Amino acid sequence: MSAAVEPHLALVRMLADGRFHSGEAIAEHLGVTRAAVWKALRRAADRFGLEVESVRGRGYRLPVPLELLDREAILGAMSDAGRNAVSRVEIHDRIDSTNAYLMREAALGMPSGVACLAERQTAGRGRRGRVWVSPFGVNLYLSLLWRFPLAPAALGGISLAVGAVLADLLHAEGVADLTLKWPNDLLWRRRKLAGLLLEVSGESQGPSHLVVGLGINLRMQTGQGDEIEQPWASLEEALQGRPCPRNRLAGKVLDVLAGALDLYGREGLEPFAELWRRFDGLHGEPVRLMLGERVVCGTHAGIADDGSLILETGGGRMRFQAGEVSLRAMGS
């Protein structure tokens, strides 16, 4: 990070506790004059997309406290097996995309098991080229690099395995009414709570490397999600306000991801298929499957053993390895 950003970030870290801090204390903390404090506050607020509250006689604060990412807290939430499997945890205050970063570094030889987390993404990506809205400090943006001796084609079902274990984790954390939409969107009451982006590269016969990217909406406020083009939900809403500490959740996510990737490398999709079916939220419902310009309508009939989607259509039962599923309104 450039030197010009550091004072702004230092200011955000100071205000992250949500308490009032006097202008004098802020000036001393930043090493600036008292007159420069308001300018620094405005620049920090603009840079990180935050609201700063000012009260005469009390000082300045963030109306909603932030739990900023902390490597030691994340590692402390992981099991011994998880810490052994994840070779490094990197935390970035600002990055274009955690996935894009790990894909670049993987091509340069970065080892398996490196995790990248960010407070904010400037070019966060979802599936099918969508933007993943990534405001500062309120959600979880996380990617994990994993290397396999397998060919890329052998990893076709891995998105379902990852989606299944993450749904299971959030259910264990207390999220009811949680479902999966093929292949790996996590929905709460049919609104998007979390999404996955998996990117694979490698030799045709192996080896290959995979980057698993995850975005979970934790405490995003309505205004911060205005650019999202579909109904969405936050974990705070799904838990009815019960706390789910950000660093603790990040550690648990890394734990289950590392375990799932290791097991998939040894046994494929089979150990995860039944778990995925348990969270399948569209089974038996009329759906549309978008395949580029082509649209296939049918009834969602679950997944095959290889993870492909099964649709009952007017032309019979069909299987699909890719596409975008949406509910079809009755009668359409």
Side-chain angles (χ1 to χ4, degrees):
M1 181 168 291
S2 67
V5 177
E6 288 175 1
H8 303 137
L9 183 62
L11 178 53
V12 170
R13 292 192 179 281
M14 182 181 188
L15 298 178
D17 59 10
R19 300 172 182 166
F20 281 106
H21 296 267
S22 69
E24 183 180 355
I26 292 172
E28 183 177 350
H29 183 73
L30 298 181
V32 299
T33 65
R34 179 67 179 82
V37 166
W38 178 238
K39 191 175 186 180
L41 284 162
R42 290 191 61 181
R43 286 182 175 174
D46 290 343
R47 180 175 294 275
F48 297 110
L50 299 172
E51 177 186 353
V52 177
E53 180 179 311
S54 172
V55 175
R56 184 179 297 275
R58 301 191 70 186
Y60 308 92
R61 71 170 183 177
L62 298 181
V64 179
L66 299 177
E67 182 191 356
L68 299 179
L69 295 170
D70 181 273
R71 183 180 293 101
E72 293 308 312
I74 292 170
L75 292 171
M78 297 174 67
S79 66
D80 290 341
R83 284 190 292 270
N84 289 333
V86 175
S87 59
R88 185 163 81 238
V89 174
E90 294 189 8
I91 294 175
H92 297 257
D93 297 310
R94 178 178 172 143
I95 201 169
D96 57 347
S97 156
T98 57
N99 255 45
Y101 167 74
L102 287 186
M103 287 295 287
R104 291 193 298 266
E105 293 300 309
L108 299 175
M110 178 178 275
S112 184
V114 175
C116 175
L117 297 92
E119 296 289 4
R120 183 182 189 184
Q121 296 182 117
T122 59
R125 295 179 295 140
R127 294 183 65 241
R128 303 174 71 82
R130 293 191 179 97
V131 172
W132 190 267
V133 176
S134 308
F136 181 89
V138 294
N139 295 329
L140 195 59
Y141 321 117
L142 176 156
S143 296
L144 179 63
L145 168 65
W146 207 263
R147 294 188 179 274
F148 294 90
L150 308 171
L155 304 179
I158 203 163
S159 63
L160 279 80
V162 169
V165 298
L166 288 170
D168 196 41
L169 169 63
L170 293 178
H171 183 263
E173 290 293 311
V175 180
D177 304 320
L178 180 70
T179 57
L180 284 167
K181 187 182 80 169
W182 186 88
N184 51 24
D185 281 347
L186 283 81
L187 308 180
W188 181 73
R189 297 181 180 174
R190 303 211 165 173
R191 289 181 283 146
K192 192 159 183 175
L193 177 64
L196 291 160
L197 175 64
L198 285 81
E199 298 181 279
V200 181
S201 184
E203 303 297 327
S204 60
Q205 301 302 313
S208 56
H209 62 263
L210 167 76
V211 172
V212 177
L214 167 69
I216 304 180
N217 299 329
L218 299 185
R219 291 174 45 190
M220 188 159 57
Q221 306 300 307
T222 300
Q224 294 174 318
D226 285 347
E227 297 178 26
I228 300 177
E229 297 177 350
Q230 59 185 304
W232 59 272
S234 69
L235 192 59
E236 183 178 54
E237 180 185 9
L239 291 172
Q240 298 180 322
R242 296 195 306 277
C244 185
R246 191 170 175 234
N247 287 297
R248 175 181 169 276
L249 181 63
K252 288 187 171 293
V253 165
L254 287 175
D255 248 9
V256 299
L257 283 182
L261 297 177
D262 177 67
L263 180 57
Y264 188 97
R266 291 183 281 113
E267 300 185 30
L269 181 60
E270 193 277 332
F272 307 95
E274 190 53 43
L275 182 60
W276 198 96
R277 293 183 179 109
R278 196 182 308 164
F279 288 100
D280 186 351
L282 297 180
H283 194 280
E285 300 212 29
V287 298
R288 285 191 181 93
L289 178 69
M290 274 71 75
L291 296 159
E293 298 299 316
R294 180 186 173 203
V295 178
V296 180
C297 295
T299 299
H300 191 301
I303 59 167
D305 289 342
D306 64 355
S308 57
L309 175 69
I310 304 172
L311 287 187
E312 297 282 2
T313 72
R317 177 169 282 209
M318 303 175 70
R319 293 187 181 188
F320 300 90
Q321 293 282 355
E324 183 80 6
V325 171
S326 68
L327 274 171
R328 188 179 86 235
M330 297 302 293
S332 65

